[in-house]
Amino acid sequence: MRNKKHIYSYALVIPALVFFVIFFIAPSIYGIYYSLTDWTIGKEKVSFIGLSNYKTIFQSSELRLAINNTFLYAIVVVIGKNLIGLLLALAVNTKMALRGYFRVVFFLPCVISTIIIGLVFVPILHPNGILNNFLGAIGLSFLQHSWLVDTKIVMLSIAAVSIWQWSGYHMVIYLAGLQGISESYYEAAKIDGASAFKRFQYITFPMLAPTFNINILLSLIGGLKVFSEPYALTNGGPGKASQVIALEVFSKFGKGQWGLGTALNVTLAIFVLVICIPVLHMMRKREVEE
Amino acid sequence: MSSKSKEQIGRIVLIAVLVLLSLIIIVPLLIMLLGSFKDSAEVTAFDLKLPKKWNFNNFPIVFKEGKLLRAFGNSMLITIISTSITIFVSSLASFVLARRNARLSRFLYYFFFIGTIIPMQIMPTIRLFSAINIYGGYSNIIILYSALNIPFSCFLYTGFIKGIPKVLDESAFIEGASTFKIYLYIILPLLKSCNITVLILLFTGIWNEINIPLYFLNNPLKRTMPLSVYQFFGMYGGSNWNYVFADLTLATLPIVILFIFMQKQFISGLTEGAVKG
């Protein structure tokens, strides 16, 4: 067998592998090394300094804030996008007028660049912007906030813009999941007199499990890697209040602190791996059981 | 009240709620669109009032000042070439990964899969491109987008090709065709729908992305659309929001027009990517 040509030669994998290994895997491995060095702009020699970059990261209150912000943001967008996406999917899954229009409109923002969306929301969320004026006009002035200026809520405002943009995307994935559930289950339940809520609880919810996993994983990875939303809306401000890990990597890059920046980048990779691998593992297990 | 009419009322309430929700999506985009026709004083209200006078000349000014044509060309070049490379090498590799059930091919499959999850290491990659003297230009960004998108594309293609029966390849092989010939003449023509999915996924992803160009383009002339938009905002965001809105509107137009004409393909393309992946 060994000398005979195989019908499916591995040679065809080589181009993809070359791109992937040289330009993705190799820098990732090098990154681990560089994160342990004092690599800086203009410095002739790069020397090994052990874990000291990582110590800097976890001792600096600014960088810890960026890490906390990233987690806060990720949690909020995972909950927001999935909850709203699911509710929208359930709504537009019923037969009604304007159904096609709703799907298209809710989906529309996700074909537009996040940078553009972010910039459109800058004046809308301004303290004297249309959102606050509108809240005032309908008698909800107690809800008015300095959305992007108040350091306590700025992360939530940024998350809200992302939820605005991407809920429709998750809606469509949930919709695909809902349409994969056979009508016969619902008919049987209706005959047995199950209420709409019971039908959701005992049929829709468990049958949607794989769809939940995909949606949660996608929004989680996107949330942890977040960059464009705060970059466009606040650029990390006011002060450092809305810095996230990826933005800090960019700022360290700009300052020429490449060893520290790479350590932050590796930290982000570790967070993503540690959080997402168990989720993936769960997904696999469930698929096998099916 | 009968349960039939109760249901009817429920449906009407639902439609009303959804109409209101759809306004939440439309209003911000409408503010942008209307603002792009206003003058610099009028626009600062950032409201939904129609412009007193429709300033169509905002667009040619912005088109020139924002160097949008150049940015559009740059984005086109980068997006089209890296998308083509990715589609070609990923479908090629996936053909073998889908067909062979050996330990090595399973390992390679999971190896590629890692690339769909972990974030790339930016500064070491910059160093690599500097070392081979292509940092900062089109080629490094095209190579990088290809490398970053190959994993996910392989994932989609492998799943898709597994659904194509093996019989055809085997008979071609017996007649003496090489693996590449089988790919080219038998598999590739059958990949049409998967190609459209991957194409739409990569095209919108790369077209809209800003992080990579921020790090990997050091020549202002080579700016992509999102980058040029952000820089334009930096120049005019303090004084002329009408120009900023006109710039955003022009930058949004190409992809939204594409979306309107290809809604079905877009929605199924972007979501199939997630569902199959």
Side-chain angles (χ1 to χ4, degrees):
Chain A
M1 241 350 236
R2 200 151 263 270
N3 298 321
K4 227 176 95 193
K5 240 177 35 181
H6 194 283
I7 173 166
Y8 305 115
S9 160
Y10 277 122
L12 270 60
V13 184
I14 290 171
L17 205 57
V18 165
F19 271 100
F20 183 58
V21 169
I22 297 181
F23 300 104
F24 188 95
I25 295 296
S28 297
I29 293 167
Y30 258 90
I32 298 171
Y33 163 71
Y34 279 122
S35 75
L36 305 170
T37 68
D38 63 350
W39 188 25
T40 317
I41 188 169
K43 207 156 172 274
E44 284 288 307
K45 228 178 113 237
V46 174
S47 21
F48 187 80
I49 54 167
L51 289 172
S52 113
N53 283 328
Y54 291 97
K55 241 184 247 159
T56 311
I57 292 172
F58 288 98
Q59 277 168 356
S60 147
S61 59
E62 269 175 18
L63 294 178
R64 272 212 316 265
L65 177 65
I67 292 171
N68 288 341
N69 279 344
T70 307
F71 283 119
L72 171 69
Y73 175 88
I75 293 168
V76 173
V77 294
V78 167
I79 296 171
K81 288 173 188 176
N82 283 285
L83 196 63
I84 296 174
L86 177 62
L87 288 175
L88 288 177
L90 288 169
V92 300
N93 198 32
T94 52
K95 283 195 188 67
M96 62 177 154
L98 296 174
R99 183 157 87 156
Y101 157 82
F102 291 137
R103 286 185 195 177
V104 170
V105 169
F106 292 135
F107 190 81
L108 176 66
C110 38
V111 303
I112 302 171
S113 174
T114 304
I115 285 295
I116 294 175
I117 300 293
L119 295 179
V120 170
F121 271 93
V122 168
I124 291 174
L125 298 176
H126 189 273
N128 302 318
I130 191 170
L131 178 59
N132 278 345
N133 290 345
F134 175 72
L135 290 171
I138 59 168
L140 294 173
S141 47
F142 65 94
L143 284 177
Q144 290 173 335
H145 287 284
S146 304
W147 303 104
L148 298 175
V149 183
D150 185 342
T151 54
K152 282 199 233 42
I153 60 159
V154 61
M155 271 332 284
L156 299 178
S157 307
I158 296 170
V161 174
S162 186
I163 293 169
W164 178 91
Q165 185 179 8
W166 293 105
S167 289
Y169 177 72
H170 294 280
M171 168 194 83
V172 179
I173 303 176
Y174 278 118
L175 206 52
L178 285 173
Q179 283 161 355
I181 304 173
S182 161
E183 264 311 305
S184 58
Y185 291 109
Y186 292 107
E187 276 154 22
K190 260 187 200 164
I191 292 166
D192 290 344
S195 67
F197 182 75
K198 280 260 148 67
R199 270 175 280 158
F200 178 81
Q201 189 185 357
Y202 291 109
I203 303 171
T204 314
F205 195 74
M207 296 289 276
L208 270 185
T211 316
F212 274 115
N213 288 335
I214 293 156
N215 273 314
I216 288 170
L217 193 72
L218 281 175
S219 49
L220 187 61
I221 297 176
L224 292 170
K225 290 183 183 173
V226 59
F227 176 87
S228 312
E229 285 90 345
Y231 183 68
L233 282 161
T234 61
N235 204 359
K240 292 256 182 185
S242 61
Q243 281 286 11
V244 291
I245 301 176
L247 266 180
E248 280 291 356
V249 173
F250 187 58
S251 114
K252 295 293 173 268
F253 166 73
K255 288 183 189 150
Q257 298 172 303
W258 296 336
L260 182 59
T262 304
L264 263 169
N265 204 339
V266 171
T267 308
L268 177 62
I270 293 170
F271 283 151
V272 172
L273 270 179
V274 167
I275 294 168
C276 296
I277 292 286
V279 178
L280 259 171
H281 191 71
M282 257 166 47
M283 284 168 72
R284 287 252 161 269
K285 232 170 92 184
R286 200 168 281 160
E287 266 165 36
V288 172
E289 278 164 15
E290 277 167 13
Chain B
M1 207 173 353
S2 74
S3 72
K4 210 39 185 234
S5 63
K6 224 176 176 177
E7 211 170 279
Q8 211 89 52
I9 290 170
R11 196 148 295 171
I12 290 166
V13 171
L14 182 65
I15 291 175
V17 170
L18 286 172
V19 167
L20 286 177
L21 286 175
S22 73
L23 287 180
I24 295 179
I25 299 294
I26 289 170
V27 164
L29 300 174
L30 208 54
I31 290 175
M32 168 181 87
L33 186 65
L34 292 173
S36 66
F37 289 99
K38 293 179 179 174
D39 64 36
S40 59
E42 203 186 352
V43 73
T44 52
F46 298 110
D47 57 16
L48 286 167
K49 285 199 192 93
L50 294 178
K52 280 194 216 88
K53 196 178 139 269
W54 292 78
N55 290 289
F56 285 95
N57 55 340
N58 286 345
F59 293 103
I61 292 171
V62 163
F63 198 73
K64 217 169 134 250
E65 288 294 308
K67 301 189 176 65
L68 272 178
L69 195 61
R70 178 71 200 241
F72 181 83
N74 291 336
S75 277
M76 272 295 190
L77 179 87
I78 290 169
T79 309
I80 289 175
I81 299 181
S82 46
T83 301
S84 315
I85 293 176
T86 310
I87 286 182
F88 176 63
V89 301
S90 306
S91 57
L92 199 60
S94 303
F95 173 42
V96 175
L97 294 182
R99 288 298 193 234
R100 289 186 90 138
N101 195 19
R103 191 172 283 166
L104 178 61
S105 91
R106 269 190 313 235
F107 166 78
L108 287 172
Y109 181 75
Y110 286 113
F111 184 58
F112 278 123
F113 187 72
I114 299 171
T116 63
I117 302 175
I118 56 168
M120 63 170 294
Q121 291 299 321
I122 291 154
M123 282 163 258
T125 313
I126 291 175
R127 194 184 164 106
L128 174 65
F129 283 127
S130 308
I132 55 175
N133 269 322
I134 56 169
Y135 173 65
Y138 294 125
S139 54
N140 86 139
I141 216 165
I142 289 169
I143 291 173
L144 188 55
Y145 273 135
S146 308
L148 290 174
N149 288 310
I150 283 169
F152 195 68
S153 312
C154 278
F155 206 63
L156 288 181
Y157 277 117
T158 307
F160 188 85
I161 294 171
K162 275 185 180 158
I164 301 174
K166 271 182 172 182
V167 195
L168 293 171
D169 339 341
E170 275 155 8
S171 60
F173 184 71
I174 290 164
E175 282 168 30
S178 66
T179 317
F180 184 71
K181 282 235 169 86
I182 300 173
Y183 161 81
L184 198 61
Y185 295 114
I186 296 175
I187 299 300
L188 197 55
L190 295 173
L191 288 181
K192 217 182 235 164
S193 75
C194 193
N195 283 339
I196 292 172
T197 301
V198 176
L199 179 73
I200 287 173
L201 210 62
L202 296 187
F203 196 93
T204 42
I206 296 171
W207 185 267
N208 288 334
E209 213 266 345
I210 192 170
N211 207 346
I212 302 292
L214 264 180
Y215 283 105
F216 290 87
L217 284 178
N218 56 12
N219 181 345
L221 284 175
K222 294 182 179 169
R223 275 174 200 157
T224 56
M225 290 286 261
L227 204 51
S228 90
V229 161
Y230 191 73
Q231 247 115 20
F232 191 84
F233 161 74
M235 279 155 61
Y236 290 95
S239 54
N240 293 78
W241 263 96
N242 52 336
Y243 291 166
V244 175
F245 279 148
D247 192 65
L248 295 179
T249 301
L250 288 177
T252 311
L253 232 42
I255 197 108
V256 169
I257 290 173
L258 208 62
F259 171 63
I260 288 169
F261 281 108
M262 299 174 60
Q263 282 165 31
K264 282 229 166 68
Q265 289 92 325
F266 259 82
I267 293 181
S268 70
L270 287 177
T271 46
E272 247 171 62
V275 176
K276 301 258 166 65

